Amino acid sequence: MISCDQCSRRAVIFQKYSGKHLCAQHFEEDVHRKVREVLRTYRIFGKPCRIAVAVSGGKDSTSLLMILHKLFSYREDVELVAVSIDEGIAGYRPKTLQAATALAKKLGVEHVVETLDENFGVTTDLMASGGHPQGPCSFCGVLRKGLLNRTARELSADAVATGHNLDDEAQTVMLNYLKGDVDRLYRLRPKRALNGMVPRIKPLRRVPEKEMGVYAITHEIPFETSACPYISRAMRQEVKDLLNDIEAKHPGTKYSIMRGFEKILDLQPPGSYEVVPCSRCGEPSSDGICASCRLLDLIRAEQSL
Ligand code: SF4
Ligand code: ZN
């Protein structure tokens, strides 16, 4: 048996980047410490606040809800509400929503489910059947993000917390470097509440993906493992494999990528990202028509052909 470096209990994980074996309790403390450190940077939790937690039902978002509940359930000034977006993906989304509902119920957290169908009159299955060359993800992602923001605003949330982990973030940064997309890179920085935009926070951004899996299992969190049938992130998968290879040879590389990225963000002059309300629906946009309205125009035009 390999024991924990901080006590004599059995280790449940070895962190190559820190050189530590940790038991279930010390591992939990380590994850919670990283999450607290990230949360401090957002400066939201010093005053009464309401946090909308985006819960899809996978291991990251369900663990996020559990972690925030553990950290804040004793505080009367912090209120959590779980929000799920149902994009309309038969055979997949109902299962993940079940996991999200089960956990919210177990924790006694309010759970709000909004559907693309009821809000926009479209579903991802319908968009996928349109046979667009770029695949349904670009539509589905934009509409989900827009609806999540609107739902959080209607719930008077001070922030939307999402379950992006260290691996997700490092992959996104690398992808934007590889594509030379500096604008998108800057759009990843935390935003203030501007013109209807609810700030997004990513409390798990310093926790590696593998550790989120171990956290979910050691805490017996109900989560769904099946993948969306439309998943087609060819380049992201290549970047993921590449980063995992480099991380195995040079532990800590994913953390280095994020440290470098944060230094670059510091160089950005303030106010260079404008947000104005969409002239049609009032949601935030960069130029007067939001991304959701643009996409819906496209989809409706195709449907009427
Ligand atoms: Fe939507 Fe694509 Fe994610 Fe599936 S993989 S839920 S289609 S964005
Ligand atoms: Zn709009």
Short mmCIF file of all heavy atoms in Angstrom, two decimals, residues 15 27 30 34 52 92 116 182 196 229 256:
data_model
loop_
_atom_site.label_atom_id
_atom_site.label_comp_id
_atom_site.label_asym_id
_atom_site.label_seq_id
_atom_site.Cartn_x
_atom_site.Cartn_y
_atom_site.Cartn_z
N GLN A 15 0.24 13.00 -7.41
CA GLN A 15 0.34 14.21 -8.24
C GLN A 15 1.79 14.31 -8.72
O GLN A 15 2.68 14.69 -7.94
CB GLN A 15 0.01 15.47 -7.43
CG GLN A 15 -1.42 15.55 -6.97
CD GLN A 15 -1.65 16.75 -6.07
OE1 GLN A 15 -0.75 17.17 -5.34
NE2 GLN A 15 -2.84 17.29 -6.11
N PHE A 27 -6.35 14.89 -0.22
CA PHE A 27 -6.63 15.23 -1.61
C PHE A 27 -7.78 16.24 -1.67
O PHE A 27 -7.72 17.26 -2.36
CB PHE A 27 -6.96 13.96 -2.40
CG PHE A 27 -7.53 14.20 -3.75
CD1 PHE A 27 -6.81 14.90 -4.72
CD2 PHE A 27 -8.82 13.76 -4.08
CE1 PHE A 27 -7.35 15.14 -5.99
CE2 PHE A 27 -9.36 14.01 -5.33
CZ PHE A 27 -8.63 14.70 -6.29
N ASP A 30 -6.62 19.57 -0.72
CA ASP A 30 -5.80 20.18 -1.77
C ASP A 30 -6.68 20.79 -2.87
O ASP A 30 -6.45 21.92 -3.32
CB ASP A 30 -4.88 19.10 -2.37
CG ASP A 30 -3.83 19.69 -3.29
OD1 ASP A 30 -2.97 20.43 -2.80
OD2 ASP A 30 -3.89 19.42 -4.50
N LYS A 34 -7.16 24.86 -3.82
CA LYS A 34 -6.98 25.45 -5.16
C LYS A 34 -8.23 26.23 -5.56
O LYS A 34 -8.14 27.31 -6.13
CB LYS A 34 -6.70 24.35 -6.19
CG LYS A 34 -5.30 23.80 -6.10
CD LYS A 34 -5.13 22.57 -6.98
CE LYS A 34 -3.73 22.01 -6.88
NZ LYS A 34 -3.67 20.57 -7.06
N ALA A 52 -25.02 31.23 -9.90
CA ALA A 52 -25.66 30.23 -10.76
C ALA A 52 -24.57 29.23 -11.16
O ALA A 52 -23.55 29.63 -11.72
CB ALA A 52 -26.25 30.90 -12.00
N TYR A 92 -28.93 11.46 -25.13
CA TYR A 92 -27.74 11.91 -24.40
C TYR A 92 -28.12 12.89 -23.28
O TYR A 92 -27.89 12.64 -22.10
CB TYR A 92 -26.74 12.54 -25.37
CG TYR A 92 -25.69 13.39 -24.71
CD1 TYR A 92 -24.71 12.82 -23.90
CD2 TYR A 92 -25.67 14.78 -24.89
CE1 TYR A 92 -23.76 13.61 -23.27
CE2 TYR A 92 -24.71 15.57 -24.27
CZ TYR A 92 -23.76 14.98 -23.47
OH TYR A 92 -22.82 15.76 -22.85
N LEU A 116 -33.47 24.88 -25.22
CA LEU A 116 -33.33 25.68 -26.44
C LEU A 116 -34.66 25.69 -27.18
O LEU A 116 -35.06 26.70 -27.76
CB LEU A 116 -32.26 25.07 -27.37
CG LEU A 116 -30.80 25.08 -26.94
CD1 LEU A 116 -29.90 24.74 -28.14
CD2 LEU A 116 -30.37 26.41 -26.36
N VAL A 182 -5.91 35.85 -31.47
CA VAL A 182 -5.59 36.64 -30.27
C VAL A 182 -6.86 37.23 -29.65
O VAL A 182 -6.99 37.31 -28.43
CB VAL A 182 -4.59 37.77 -30.63
CG1 VAL A 182 -4.26 38.61 -29.41
CG2 VAL A 182 -3.32 37.17 -31.20
N GLY A 196 -25.75 43.65 -19.09
CA GLY A 196 -26.49 42.40 -19.11
C GLY A 196 -25.65 41.15 -19.12
O GLY A 196 -26.16 40.03 -19.16
N PRO A 229 -23.25 12.71 -28.87
CA PRO A 229 -23.03 12.03 -30.16
C PRO A 229 -22.45 12.94 -31.23
O PRO A 229 -21.90 12.46 -32.22
CB PRO A 229 -24.44 11.57 -30.55
CG PRO A 229 -25.37 12.44 -29.77
CD PRO A 229 -24.66 12.76 -28.49
N SER A 256 2.11 25.84 -16.27
CA SER A 256 2.97 26.87 -16.88
C SER A 256 2.24 27.61 -17.99
O SER A 256 2.37 28.83 -18.13
CB SER A 256 4.24 26.28 -17.48
OG SER A 256 4.87 25.48 -16.55
#
